[in-house]
């Protein structure tokens, strides 16, 4: 109740003192600063200072004492190794995120319709639990050139040999040049053959494994009007024997193709039996006998996955194996939030599954796809360990990327931390536009 003044008027109520202003978060600015100070100190020590020092160091020479201006940046764009690394980085940024995102989208859409989809997603996502070091070691073995050790070439050679018959006796060759002339991998007799007179075609250099189960060679019998002969391994275990003659115990070479050649053309051909003998028709009379190179070609050893031409795509394949599961999980989470009534409405309107996927599902998933794509682009710009571990020394220069070149320039054989710092600053400049796009996208989503 207000007290009356001498004139009878009521005195105004006392005005309370103004409260101290608080921040938007509901606390005083100095309290917020105290809580943020440790994080800001760590941010400055671990992020701001290294970036600033790298920019400063990039203007000095290898010793760190001589100022060279922008010469280090000039070397970044003129050195052949660094230019190769930059070209490979462009390939990585375009190919790896696109393929991983596309596979993640396909896996997420297809596994949504099957009962065992969760188990499949778990299997696809499991490589994310493996470190880059372990994945690099795994794929170094997968891409091993020897089909007996490398999984990729074991599968590839198996497919190849299914459709292409391997040579029966790879590496076999004549003992000398008395019987055969050599040309283009084929062996041709020096003299012509006559019908009724058996021909002797001795070879050596056959691998013991290719002779497993081979029968003993026998001399061919003369047949009137036909050309006959024997192809055999002219080698007697323990020594001895007569060169050019079939000795007891010498093995037959079955399955060898024999051609009769006249005037540069093939007039007849036959394949040796299990005892090494063959028979050609009368057209072979007066011809020379030729053993084609297909009889002795080396076994197919697959693809040189880690050779200079394929090393970068092979390493990208290892990266996609790891990160396709990451893309699948994020896209599957976005797919779960897509309104099902929109998909059903499109089907009711007559759209097939491909049209629903292309015109409804993908546009609705565009924000999620952008998140996955941008995240993977930032990730591949810093790729280092997979390339360093998988690429062999002979192909390392061809597989080079900027992060690996940064390491080699800063700590490798030709140490120049000025150039290394320039590469680090250049990498930061490459990452910044992608980060800015991501920040703008996040702000737009918050405003919705």
């Amino acid at each position: 109740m207000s007290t009356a003044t001498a004139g009878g008027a009521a005195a105004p109520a006392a005005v309370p003192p103004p409260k101290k202003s608080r921040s938007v978060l509901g606390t005083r600015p100095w309290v917020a600063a105290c809580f943020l100070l440790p994080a800001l100190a760590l941010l400055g020590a671990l992020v701001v200072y290294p970036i600033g020092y790298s920019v400063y160091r990039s203007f000095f020479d290898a010793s760190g004492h001589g100022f060279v201006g922008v010469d280090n940046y000039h070397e970044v764009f003129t050195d052949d190794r660094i230019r190769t690394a930059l070209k490979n980085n462009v390939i990585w940024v375009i190919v790896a995120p696109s393929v991983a995102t596309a596979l993640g989208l396909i896996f997420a859409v297809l596994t949504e319709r099957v009962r065992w989809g969760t188990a499949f997603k778990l299997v696809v996502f499991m490589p994310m639990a493996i470190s880059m070091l372990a994945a690099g070691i795994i794929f170094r073995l997968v891409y091993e050139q020897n089909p007996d050790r490398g999984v990729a070439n074991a599968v590839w050679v198996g497919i190849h040999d299914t459709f292409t018959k391997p040579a029966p006796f790879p590496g076999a060759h004549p003992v000398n040049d008395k019987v055969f002339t050599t040309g283009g991998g084929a062996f041709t007799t020096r003299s012509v053959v006559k019908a009724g007179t058996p021909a002797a075609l001795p070879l050596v250099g056959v691998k013991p494994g290719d002779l497993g189960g081979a029968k003993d060679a026998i001399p061919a019998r003369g047949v009137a009007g036909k050309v006959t002969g024997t192809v055999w391994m002219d080698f007697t275990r323990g020594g001895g024997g007569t060169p050019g003659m079939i000795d007891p115990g010498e093995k037959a070479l079955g399955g060898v193709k024999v051609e009769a050649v006249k005037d540069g053309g093939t007039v007849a051909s036959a394949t040796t039996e299990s005892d090494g003998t063959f028979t050609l028709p009368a057209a072979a009379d007066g011809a020379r006998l030729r053993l084609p190179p297909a009889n002795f070609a080396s076994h197919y050893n697959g693809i040189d996955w880690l050779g200079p031409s394929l090393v970068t795509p092979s390493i990208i394949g290892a990266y996609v194996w790891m990160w396709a599961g990451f893309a699948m999980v994020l896209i599957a989470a976005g797919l779960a939030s897509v309104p099902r009534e929109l998909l059903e409405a499109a089907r009711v309107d007559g759209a097939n599954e491909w049209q629903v996927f292309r015109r409804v599902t993908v546009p609705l998933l565009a924000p999620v796809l952008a998140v996955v794509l941008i995240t993977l682009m930032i990730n591949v710009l810093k790729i280092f360990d997979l390339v360093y571990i998988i690429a062999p020394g002979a192909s390392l220069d061809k597989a080079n990327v900027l992060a690996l070149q940064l390491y080699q320039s800063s700590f490798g054989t030709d140490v120049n931390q000025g150039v290394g710092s320039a590469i680090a600053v250049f990498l930061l400049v490459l990452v910044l536009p992608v980060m800015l796009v991501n920040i703008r996208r996040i702000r737009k989503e918050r405003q919705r």
Side-chain angles (χ1 to χ4, degrees):
M1 183 181 295
S2 61
T3 56
T5 61
V15 179
K19 294 182 179 180
K20 293 184 177 180
S21 61
R22 293 176 179 267
S23 67
V24 177
L25 298 177
T27 185
R28 296 179 178 83
W30 67 269
V31 175
C34 289
F35 278 98
L36 290 175
L37 186 60
L40 293 175
L42 286 174
L43 185 66
L46 301 179
V47 178
V48 178
Y49 172 74
I51 291 175
Y53 183 75
S54 296
V55 174
Y56 168 80
R57 184 67 178 83
S58 66
F59 294 108
F60 289 83
D61 60 10
S63 66
H65 302 295
F67 182 80
V68 295
V70 296
D71 287 353
N72 290 327
Y73 292 95
H74 180 266
E75 184 172 347
V76 168
F77 293 101
T78 56
D79 184 85
D80 289 338
R81 292 182 304 167
I82 303 178
R83 290 172 65 180
T84 300
L86 179 58
K87 180 191 72 174
N88 287 336
N89 262 95
V90 172
I91 296 173
W92 271 90
V93 169
I94 294 174
V95 176
S98 303
V99 175
T101 304
L103 284 177
L105 176 61
I106 293 171
F107 291 157
V109 172
L110 294 181
T111 55
E112 192 184 38
R113 295 170 175 250
V114 293
R115 289 183 298 177
W116 43 268
T118 302
F120 179 82
K121 290 176 184 177
L122 178 63
V123 172
V124 175
F125 187 74
M126 280 180 64
M128 283 295 299
I130 302 175
S131 68
M132 287 281 195
L133 173 63
I137 294 173
I138 290 171
F139 274 87
R140 182 64 183 269
L141 297 175
V142 168
Y143 292 135
E144 178 70 38
Q145 177 68 37
N146 188 346
D148 294 332
R149 292 185 291 176
V151 176
N153 266 340
V155 174
W156 189 262
V157 169
I159 296 173
H160 175 274
D161 290 348
T162 301
F163 298 98
T164 303
K165 185 178 180 180
F169 301 104
H173 57 84
V175 65
N176 51 47
D177 58 356
K178 292 181 179 180
V179 178
F180 294 98
T181 61
T182 303
F187 309 130
T188 306
T189 58
R190 289 185 174 275
S191 58
V192 298
V193 292
K194 297 295 183 180
T197 303
L201 306 179
L203 297 174
V204 293
V206 180
K207 298 177 182 178
D210 295 331
L211 287 174
K215 294 183 179 181
D216 290 345
I218 62 173
R221 296 179 179 180
V223 179
K226 294 185 178 181
V227 174
T228 60
T230 305
V231 182
W232 82 99
M233 174 68 171
D234 191 14
F235 173 79
T236 301
R237 188 183 297 271
T242 304
M245 300 292 293
I246 301 176
D247 299 303
E250 292 184 342
K251 299 299 181 180
L253 301 183
V256 175
K257 186 176 182 180
V258 182
E259 297 176 342
V261 180
K262 284 183 181 179
D263 301 325
T266 302
V267 295
S269 64
T271 302
T272 59
E273 303 293 337
S274 59
D275 57 7
T277 61
F278 62 89
T279 302
L280 291 168
D285 185 29
R288 285 184 168 84
L289 300 183
R290 179 174 64 189
L291 304 181
N295 292 314
F296 317 111
S298 299
H299 285 308
Y300 181 69
N301 285 323
I303 298 173
D304 188 7
W305 298 102
L306 299 181
S309 59
L310 289 178
V311 61
T312 294
S314 298
I315 300 173
I316 291 176
Y319 178 88
V320 170
W321 176 77
M322 289 190 66
W323 287 87
F326 167 81
M328 178 196 65
V329 169
L330 291 188
I331 295 171
L335 192 61
S337 63
V338 172
R340 296 296 181 235
E341 56 270 16
L342 295 180
L343 304 179
E344 293 302 327
R347 294 187 181 100
V348 169
D349 289 340
N352 56 37
E353 291 300 321
W354 168 246
Q355 291 173 328
V356 171
F357 172 75
R358 185 167 60 93
R359 297 182 179 273
V360 180
T361 305
V362 173
L364 291 175
L365 289 176
V368 179
L369 296 176
V371 170
V372 174
L373 198 61
I374 292 173
T375 302
L376 294 180
M377 288 175 66
I378 295 174
N379 186 268
V380 298
L381 282 172
K382 303 178 292 182
I383 194 70
F384 164 79
D385 25 21
L386 271 183
V387 179
Y388 186 72
I389 295 168
I390 295 178
S395 302
L396 191 59
D397 288 342
K398 295 296 182 180
N400 201 10
V401 289
L402 287 175
L404 177 58
Q405 184 60 46
L406 188 158
Y407 169 78
Q408 292 176 333
S409 297
S410 300
F411 309 106
T413 53
D414 300 326
V415 177
N416 188 338
Q417 293 187 353
V419 175
S421 299
I423 296 174
V425 174
F426 182 58
L427 265 176
L428 176 64
V429 172
L430 291 179
V431 172
L432 283 177
V434 183
M435 293 179 61
L436 292 175
V437 171
N438 203 24
I439 291 172
R440 290 184 61 185
R441 182 194 57 77
I442 293 173
R443 287 179 176 174
K444 287 182 178 178
E445 288 186 355
R446 288 178 176 176
Q447 292 174 359
R448 292 177 180 176

